[in-house]
Amino acid sequence: MSDKNYSRVLLLCGISGSGKTTFAVKMKQEGYKHLSLDRMMWERYGQCGTDYPVDKYPEYRDETERLLRARLIDIVSGGGKATVDFKLCKRAKRDDLRRFVTDAGVEPTLIYFEAPLEELKRRLHMRNLNPGPDAAVVTDEMVEMYYRGFQRPDEDEHAVTVKAPSH
């Protein structure tokens, strides 16, 4: 029998290219399960705009998020640890996911990955050369839109901030 008191959930928050997935992969060495919305969508449906039409994205994202939440409950109910890897770009989304995890008996830690816009563009230019399940193509226009619309965590969210080094 496992004990939820030993469960840990890290909610990873940041714009595409900020380092969330790299961090989550490193945390696997510490026993954390990596729950990535992007990877789960890729595995189920392929690449947006190539394998399925863009207008299906909201439906597929919502279905995949339900599956991610079910997997998360399985992990924490078994006393496990997980990183939840997706943008969490809006406060309301972070609040909803925090409430979901707290209702499952675990107090999550929010980790905010912060990077300057030019660094994000540099990283994404490199990442776009090899798209895949953890590396969807993100154009300069897209990252600029994400950057403008991103709601950085407020002080009362008690996020741990990881600042990206510039190169």
Side-chain angles (χ1 to χ4, degrees), residues 32-149:
Y32 282 80
K33 302 286 185 197
H34 179 196
L35 298 178
S36 164
L37 188 71
D38 290 342
R39 177 171 278 279
M40 289 174 69
M41 285 194 58
W42 184 284
E43 289 170 352
R44 287 181 64 81
Y45 305 109
Q47 185 175 359
C48 181
T50 302
D51 299 313
Y52 65 91
V54 174
D55 66 334
K56 296 296 270 180
Y57 180 82
E59 173 189 340
Y60 290 173
R61 179 203 57 223
D62 292 348
E63 175 60 26
T64 304
E65 186 175 336
R66 282 190 288 278
L67 292 170
L68 183 147
R69 286 174 181 243
R71 286 186 188 167
L72 181 56
I73 291 298
D74 287 345
I75 291 167
V76 298
S77 65
K81 302 183 286 188
T83 56
V84 178
D85 176 5
F86 62 102
K87 289 187 260 329
L88 298 176
C89 58
K90 301 293 183 198
R91 169 74 189 249
K93 185 64 151 181
R94 292 190 298 269
D95 287 347
D96 177 60
L97 195 52
R98 264 194 298 267
R99 202 169 19 259
F100 177 79
V101 173
T102 301
D103 288 350
V106 179
E107 188 62 38
T109 299
L110 178 65
I111 303 177
Y112 167 49
F113 292 82
E114 181 178 71
L117 180 58
E118 290 309 312
E119 178 63 14
L120 294 170
K121 287 181 180 180
R122 185 194 70 76
R123 290 178 179 191
L124 291 167
H125 287 168
M126 296 299 296
R127 190 178 90 176
N128 287 345
L129 298 174
N130 296 300
D134 294 316
V137 172
V138 178
T139 66
D140 282 353
E141 294 77 21
M142 291 166 71
V143 76
E144 288 169 4
M145 180 184 68
Y146 297 157
Y147 196 83
R148 282 191 309 271

